[in-house]
Amino acid sequence: QWSVELEEQEKVFLKQAAQVNSWDDIIRENQKKIIDLSDYVENLKADQDRLNSELDFIDTQQRELEHLLSPLETTVQQQSSSFGSHLIDKEREQMYSSACELDVRLQQMCHDLTEVIEKLNKCYSGQNNNPMQQVTKILNSHTEALKWIDKNAEFLKRKVDNVVSQSEIKRNEQEHSLRLVSL
């Protein structure tokens, strides 16, 4: 009877040992996952620290910029009040209209040159070492240069428009803040 009881206890022990083994495997897998997550969290903390330092740097630069712009804003405000904002607006509109006219003229010149070059290319497409072909090549390069100028003129026009709109926004903000201060 003792042998039978011992065999039963052995079966129970082996069953429990197998179950403990499987739990141990699960615990090891979870331990590995926890270590991976811990490493990931440490990396995130390091990234967050770098981001915070970059944000602090940007904040410092922003404060310095505001400090440097303050006298400039005061000067601009004084000048705008002495000259009158309507004169500045009128001058800005004239500059914008001149830029638009210049852009239209450049586009027309570019279009005209392109047409002339295309006609010359059609007329002298079969002739090599011809002075006209050399002139055509020169005109082609000039056309490319004009296209480049046109593209950059558009870019500069957008930049000027952006600066104008930003200055308008800033001026309106300053006028609003002055009104609030005077109240």
Side-chain angles (χ1 to χ4, degrees), residues 30 45 123 150 166 182:
N30 286 338
K45 284 181 182 178
C123 291
D150 187 44
Q166 290 296 327
S182 67

Side-chain angles (χ1 to χ4, degrees), residues 13-131:
F13 176 77
L14 289 175
K15 185 177 179 182
Q16 287 178 349
Q19 191 174 17
V20 167
N21 254 357
S22 70
W23 289 345
D24 193 39
D25 290 341
I26 291 172
I27 288 173
R28 283 190 185 123
E29 287 177 23
N30 286 338
Q31 182 183 16
K32 184 181 177 194
K33 289 178 183 177
I34 288 172
I35 290 171
D36 289 344
L37 282 174
S38 175
D39 291 343
Y40 181 70
V41 167
E42 288 300 318
N43 287 338
L44 283 178
K45 284 181 182 178
D47 288 345
Q48 184 175 3
D49 289 342
R50 278 192 299 267
L51 182 62
N52 284 339
S53 67
E54 287 179 21
L55 286 175
D56 289 341
F57 178 71
I58 290 171
D59 186 45
T60 303
Q61 285 184 331
Q62 181 70 24
R63 284 190 208 135
E64 288 176 8
L65 183 62
E66 287 174 357
H67 178 71
L68 292 173
L69 285 177
S70 178
L72 182 63
E73 289 174 349
T74 305
T75 305
V76 167
Q77 204 170 39
Q78 290 171 354
Q79 288 178 352
S80 67
S81 64
S82 66
F83 289 120
S85 63
H86 68 284
L87 293 175
I88 294 172
D89 290 341
K90 189 174 183 178
E91 184 178 333
R92 189 178 305 124
E93 286 176 18
Q94 287 174 348
M95 287 187 343
Y96 180 75
S97 115
S98 296
C100 287
E101 287 177 27
L102 181 62
D103 182 50
V104 168
R105 288 181 187 168
L106 282 174
Q107 286 178 357
Q108 184 60 40
M109 284 173 41
C110 184
H111 178 70
D112 292 345
L113 279 174
T114 304
E115 285 181 357
V116 168
I117 290 170
E118 286 174 359
K119 287 178 183 177
L120 285 174
N121 284 341
K122 285 179 184 176
C123 291
Y124 298 104
S125 62
Q127 300 175 0
N128 290 335
N129 296 329
N130 186 344

